[in-house]
Amino acid sequence: MLILGLETSCDETGVALYESERGLLAHALHSQVELHAEYGGVVPELASRDHVRKILPLLREVCRQAAVAPSQIDGVAYTRGPGLIGALLVGAAIGRSLAWAWQVPVIGVHHMEGHLLAPMLEPNPPKFPFVALLVSGGHSLLVDVQGIGRYRILGESIDDAAGEAFDKTAKLLGLPYPGGPALAKLAEQGDPQRFRFPRPMTDRPGCDFSFSGLKTAAINTWRALESSPENRADVARAFEEAVVETLAIKCRRALHATGLKRLVVAGGVGANRRLRERLWELAAELGGQVYYPRLEFCTDNGAMIAYAGWRRLAAGQGEDAAIEVMPRWPLDSLLAA
C-alpha cells in the first residue's frame, strides 16, 4: 500500500511517500523560517499562501525521487488538525482533490499522532505500549500509548507549551527567530551553576506542565542584569536546564504511574541536545529505553503523516468527501485502529 502524506499545519510544507512493504520511499520539506523571520513569528495568512505555492512542486519532486507515478498511489493522508486553520485547509483541499481525481481513499491525520508515531520510521522502532512525551511549539503532552488511537493523557501544559516558552524567552532575550534553537545554542556557552530557576509544578503531584512562570523568572532575571553576551548565555542556560529537568521529572512520574519502561520523545523540542542527554540518563537509571525520531523528523514533516495515514487506512478507516479541518482536536478523542 503506497500512501502520500501531506503536512501543512503551520509553517512547514511536508510531502512524503510511504510504502507498507518498503517503508519511506521519499520525502521533501520546505521551511518558511525566512518568510516569517522579519515578523518574529508565524503570520498565518503568509503561511497559508506559501503552502499553496510549494505543495505541488514538492509533490512532483517526491514522486520523481521515488520513481512513482500518481497512478501507483493507493491512498492520501493529510494533516486535519490541530494547527492554523488556513494552513490546514490548504493540505485538506489538495489532499482530497488528489484522492478524488485518483479515486483512492483519503484520511485526515491528527498532527500530534503523527509526531507520536514518527519513531516508527526508524530501524529500531518502539513496541507498544509506551509513554510518549510530545513537546513542540504548540503542545506539551505526556501520553500513555497502548496502541494506535489508544491514548490516555497523563499530563499537559496548562499555559505555555515548552517550545512556546523557549521561543518567547528567546525573543525577550533579543535572540533571532526561530528562538528555541537559538536559545539552545546560546545556552551551550552559559554557566549552569550561576542561576537556578524554578522547576514549575514539580512540588505537587501529577504530570501537568506550566512554563509561563519560568519564562517570567528568566525575563525578570535578565532585566536586572547588564546586557552582555555572558549574562545572556547564563540566563539561557538556566532557563534550558529548568525546562529539561522539569520534563525529566514529569517523565519519571509518568513511567512510574504506568509501570512502563519505554519512553518515546517527539516534537520539535525533542531535538534539544540537553533534553536528549537527560532523558537517556533517566532511561539508564530506570532500566528502560528512550526512543526518538531522527532529527529531521522531530519538526513537522510529511513522513510522519504518511505513516500515520497508512496505519489508519490499512485498518479500514477513511472519510467522506466533505472538507473539514480541526484547529483544536484532543488527541484522546481519536478512534483505535
Side-chain angles (χ1 to χ4, degrees), residues 109-120:
V109 170
H110 194 292
H111 179 73
M112 297 311 293
E113 181 174 60
H115 277 302
L116 186 153
L117 297 176
M120 300 296 184

Side-chain angles (χ1 to χ4, degrees), residues 135 140 157-163 165-166 169 200-201 209-216 239 242-244 246-247:
V135 277
S140 293
S157 180
I158 63 174
D159 43 53
D160 291 351
F166 262 100
T169 302
M201 294 187 69
F209 305 98
S210 172
F211 293 109
S212 62
L214 172 59
K215 176 188 65 183
T216 301
F239 175 82
V243 172
V244 166
T246 298
L247 293 173

